[in-house]
Amino acid sequence: MRTTGSVPVSLAEIARIAGVGRAAVSNWRRRHDSFPIRIGGTDVSPQFSLAEVERWLRNNGKLDSIAGRELLWPRFEALGSRNDSGLAIAEAAHRMRAPRARISQAELTAEARRLTDEAAKLGRSEGARATFEFLLQRWLETHVRQLSTTPPPLAALMARIALGVRVGGHDEELTVLDPACGTGHLAAAAVQECGDRSLTLLACERDPALAALASARLAFVGDGHDVRTEIAAADALREDPFTGARADIVLCNPPFNERDWGYEELATDQRWAHGLPPRTEPELAWVQHVLAHLKPGGAGVVVLPPAVASRKAGRRIRGSLLRTGALRAVVALPPGSAQPHSVRLQLWVLRAASDDPGAVPPGQDALLVDATRFAGAGTREPGPHWESLQSFVLSALQALDRPDADLPDGAARVPLLDLLDDEVDVTPGRYTPAGTEPSGLELAAAWRDLETVLTGLARRARRLSELGFATGGPQTTVGVGDLVKAGAVSLRAGQQPLDGAAAPGSALVPLLTVADLVSDGTPSGSVAAGSAPVIAERGDVVVAGVVRAFRAWVHEGPPTALGPQLYALRVDPAKLDARFLAGCLSAPSNGRQAGTHASSSSRVDIRRLQVLQLPLGEQSAYARAFRDLGAFEALLAHAGGTGKGLVSDVADLLAAGGLDG
């Protein structure tokens, strides 16, 4: 494979190419004088020539079982902008499928065209779809702050909801539309969920690179299915390329909070059957766009931020959607279901009136479903329990057209008279019951969960009890300030995000603050990535520099903006183990000694925090012990929470005379 000597790669990228951990690459660099010299970057984050790295790895037998796609990605990344690399990946996919076809992306540079030819050749030898999916995933990970995608489990749920809600569910031919398709996650899910039916996929995306990637992805997804695809690169609101087209299903995850969505030029647009959306309500423009493209009886599912359900400016349109039966259900999702991960997003389930005389008339109520309780237990990387969430939501929506059907806890059928008040608030949490007595099956599952946790707790306790401790004097330590001077870590202080509204199309990232740590540790807000001065990446050590919330941990979640009094430390893996560092910093005595005052609101001077001075090889044992201690603490909290819940539930059942025999 041809390589380019000027393409830089980091230690992490070299590790991926060689299929090893980053620490192994640092060891190679330290032990082998022949390892390529640094061509850029910093001492903490050095960069090396891809060509020299490839040559060294091959000469030292490190590439025997590694696929060439790992060497391919850095060259795509080196093409420059997000659009250039995205269009090149889409072109590579096109050429994998049709080697002799003409170039479809005429604006590609000569270097990009050479690279797409090499990628196409590699794809044909190692698997075209796997190669494309690999490159696409790397591209999405690299530009995660600029892009918002629909996670596959959520996309599958939306497709299943639409298939279940639409009238005429057994049709053998379906038309599916996604008016803001991104890289095609929702359309791909529709293909998978529709099985053997014949599909016409219509999709629209205003970003040319995303549209090209969606076209490439759907070409692969459609293999083996009867699918016709048409993707337009256009702004669906301003220049709808499918005017007059009607679909059986419309799935949409539109951009949020855009003020420049076309309010002035679209004021008289015929799509606004329920009223002109206010300038501050672009999401209601997307809702009406979806309805305008539904066939009679067709169903639409839209991802929306929770404020759309209650903002005063949109109450007139919400009222019209309810009165006409267009808005059939609202599902509140747990945080982590999609970007922005800190927000409890909602699914609005829409249906166009059917022209079938025997069809069920629009109901006099709406189904509101609160699924927020299915959030994951972790606070570092919040995310729902997808299997339980999907099962619950689908079972609740089965009762949509069955007024006498029983609803699961967390779902409520609310009469329109109760909704059509001065607020027209359709937030599910306002109407769904807080909870009822647990069933016997639920209690049994909770007891089994507690038993499993206690078993794990005992195992961790035995392991920790076997740790031996030296009786000699204290070990030598070094302050974080000295580690920064030595280049072992870089230190960045979190700040208040910059003021101002997010630019149209800008990506949002979760915002973590000290107040969040004091509550449950989950980021409660989000900000535009460009307005966040400090963002913690996976593998960074995050420290809370205030006594009342003092802690340190290795960040494992998505990129997260840090607010004031939070700090991000990035280690040089050749000198420090991140988990060892986090463990040392998190010791309560460390925080007390580095605190500036005795009160709980005082600062912790991060540079004064102490770290054991140990060789890299000896740090791993401490890192494992710190990890076991952290796992023990998490299990202890889990056991406490589960136990308290069981005590409360069983006490209520006993007080109600619930004993059987």
Side-chain angles (χ1 to χ4, degrees):
M1 174 182 294
R2 175 189 178 276
T3 57
T4 303
S6 60
V7 175
V9 288
S10 65
L11 289 173
E13 288 170 325
I14 296 172
R16 283 196 292 263
I17 291 170
V20 298
R22 184 169 169 175
V25 179
S26 297
N27 288 335
W28 293 344
R29 186 188 179 200
R30 186 172 60 254
R31 295 175 181 174
H32 297 278
D33 293 337
S34 59
F35 194 87
I37 63 172
R38 192 184 104 193
I39 64 168
T42 65
D43 289 338
V44 176
S45 302
Q47 293 184 325
F48 306 85
S49 163
L50 176 61
E52 294 178 8
V53 166
E54 180 184 358
R55 189 179 307 114
W56 188 89
L57 292 174
R58 291 192 185 280
N59 291 342
N60 287 271
K62 308 295 186 184
L63 282 179
D64 292 345
S65 60
I66 301 301
R69 64 185 70 155
E70 289 286 0
L71 286 164
L72 202 60
W73 166 246
R75 297 176 58 201
F76 275 101
E77 190 175 19
L79 288 176
S81 71
R82 172 177 73 85
N83 284 353
D84 290 343
S85 55
L87 291 172
I89 292 171
E91 179 64 31
H94 175 66
R95 301 190 70 74
M96 288 176 202
R97 300 177 61 84
R100 292 182 174 81
R102 298 178 61 183
I103 292 286
S104 61
Q105 306 296 335
E107 61 268 44
L108 293 180
T109 64
E111 173 60 25
R113 295 189 182 197
R114 285 193 295 268
L115 186 54
T116 58
D117 286 339
E118 292 179 31
K121 182 178 179 181
L122 180 68
R124 291 193 292 272
S125 65
E126 294 192 1
R129 182 170 181 176
T131 300
F132 167 72
E133 290 288 354
F134 167 82
L135 292 172
L136 175 61
Q137 187 59 35
R138 282 292 174 82
W139 187 82
L140 291 172
E141 291 172 356
T142 299
H143 303 291
V144 65
R145 298 182 192 173
Q146 305 170 33
L147 302 170
S148 179
T149 59
T150 308
L154 177 59
L157 175 61
M158 293 171 65
R160 292 172 192 171
I161 290 173
L163 286 168
V165 168
R166 62 178 292 268
V167 176
H170 300 292
D171 294 351
E172 293 301 319
E173 297 184 7
L174 294 176
T175 299
V176 178
L177 168 66
D178 182 352
C181 70
T183 55
H185 288 74
L186 287 171
V191 174
Q192 298 301 322
E193 297 301 325
C194 287
D196 296 330
R197 305 186 198 197
S198 297
L199 284 184
T200 297
L201 284 180
L202 305 178
C204 184
E205 172 54 52
R206 65 188 179 188
D207 185 312
L210 298 183
L213 288 166
S215 179
R217 165 183 254 165
L218 295 176
F220 283 114
V221 171
D223 287 342
H225 297 270
D226 183 7
V227 178
R228 182 183 71 85
T229 303
E230 182 180 349
I231 298 180
D235 184 328
L237 289 184
R238 281 191 166 94
E239 45 181 327
D240 185 3
F242 300 116
T243 299
R246 296 292 181 268
D248 300 279
I249 289 172
V250 181
L251 305 175
C252 186
N253 185 354
F256 299 158
N257 301 320
E258 289 193 326
R259 295 297 178 260
D260 184 23
W261 56 270
Y263 173 79
E264 288 84 0
E265 60 260 47
L266 298 175
T268 59
D269 197 286
Q270 295 184 353
R271 287 171 292 181
W272 316 143
H274 300 276
L276 172 64
R279 187 190 304 274
T280 57
E281 295 286 341
E283 294 84 6
L284 291 177
W286 284 103
V287 167
Q288 295 192 75
H289 177 83
V290 167
L291 285 168
H293 281 286
L294 285 175
K295 293 180 180 178
V301 184
V302 189
V303 182
L304 295 174
V308 182
S310 59
R311 279 194 298 239
K312 183 177 180 180
R315 60 184 177 180
R316 181 171 55 86
I317 293 177
R318 291 195 299 271
S320 177
L321 293 171
L322 289 168
R323 282 190 294 271
T324 58
L327 178 57
R328 300 297 297 123
V330 177
V331 179
L333 298 170
S337 297
Q339 293 171 291
H341 292 287
S342 59
V343 176
R344 291 174 170 83
L345 298 171
Q346 295 178 354
L347 297 180
W348 281 27
V349 181
L350 312 167
R351 188 167 64 193
S354 175
D355 57 2
D356 183 353
V360 178
Q364 293 303 306
D365 52 36
L367 187 61
L368 302 183
V369 182
D370 187 351
T372 56
R373 71 176 188 266
F374 293 98
T379 58
R380 291 293 147 259
E381 189 169 6
H385 298 294
W386 281 112
E387 186 175 350
S388 301
L389 170 64
Q390 291 172 338
S391 176
F392 166 71
V393 172
L394 293 174
S395 65
L397 290 177
Q398 284 179 352
L400 191 63
D401 295 319
R402 297 161 53 203
D404 299 329
D406 292 333
L407 291 172
D409 293 340
R413 192 178 283 106
V414 184
L416 296 189
L417 288 176
D418 293 342
L419 292 171
L420 296 174
D421 55 13
D422 290 340
E423 296 180 350
V424 196
D425 189 341
V426 292
T427 303
R430 288 194 59 180
Y431 305 94
T432 52
T436 59
E437 295 177 349
S439 66
L441 289 176
E442 290 173 328
L443 274 178
W447 283 116
R448 287 195 300 271
D449 182 31
L450 181 60
E451 184 178 356
T452 301
V453 172
L454 291 176
T455 300
L457 197 60
R459 185 171 59 252
R460 296 280 182 181
R462 284 195 300 272
R463 186 180 304 174
L464 289 168
S465 70
E466 293 169 356
L467 292 175
F469 294 95
T471 56
Q475 295 286 327
T476 305
T477 61
V478 60
V480 169
D482 292 327
L483 290 175
V484 172
K485 292 177 183 177
V489 301
S490 62
L491 174 63
R492 294 167 297 148
Q495 301 174 33
Q496 188 68 31
L498 303 176
D499 294 333
S506 61
L508 299 177
V509 295
L511 172 64
L512 182 67
T513 65
V514 169
D516 297 331
L517 295 178
V518 173
S519 56
D520 65 356
T522 302
S524 59
S526 60
V527 295
S531 68
V534 176
I535 293 182
E537 305 282 356
R538 185 183 295 269
D540 287 349
V541 175
V542 180
V543 183
V546 62
V547 170
R548 65 190 172 111
F550 176 70
R551 58 188 299 188
W553 69 93
V554 177
H555 182 66
E556 300 288 357
T560 300
L562 300 182
Q565 297 180 307
L566 295 177
Y567 300 83
L569 290 85
R570 185 164 298 169
V571 306
D572 178 354
K575 299 176 181 178
L576 272 177
D577 182 301
R579 295 193 180 279
F580 165 77
L581 174 63
C584 289
L585 297 180
S586 63
S589 59
N590 214 351
R592 288 193 298 268
Q593 293 170 8
T596 55
H597 301 286
S599 69
S600 64
S601 61
S602 63
R603 285 190 312 107
V604 173
D605 188 344
I606 302 301
R607 292 178 177 270
R608 290 175 54 196
L609 291 172
Q610 298 297 304
V611 181
L612 277 173
Q613 205 164 9
L614 292 176
L616 184 64
E618 297 180 21
Q619 294 175 19
S620 57
Y622 282 83
R624 286 193 297 272
F626 281 128
R627 184 173 61 246
D628 287 342
L629 191 62
F632 178 79
E633 182 182 25
L635 285 171
L636 198 60
H638 188 174
T642 303
K644 287 180 180 179
L646 279 167
V647 169
S648 175
D649 290 338
V650 173
D652 284 341
L653 288 170
L654 288 173
L659 274 182
D660 185 9

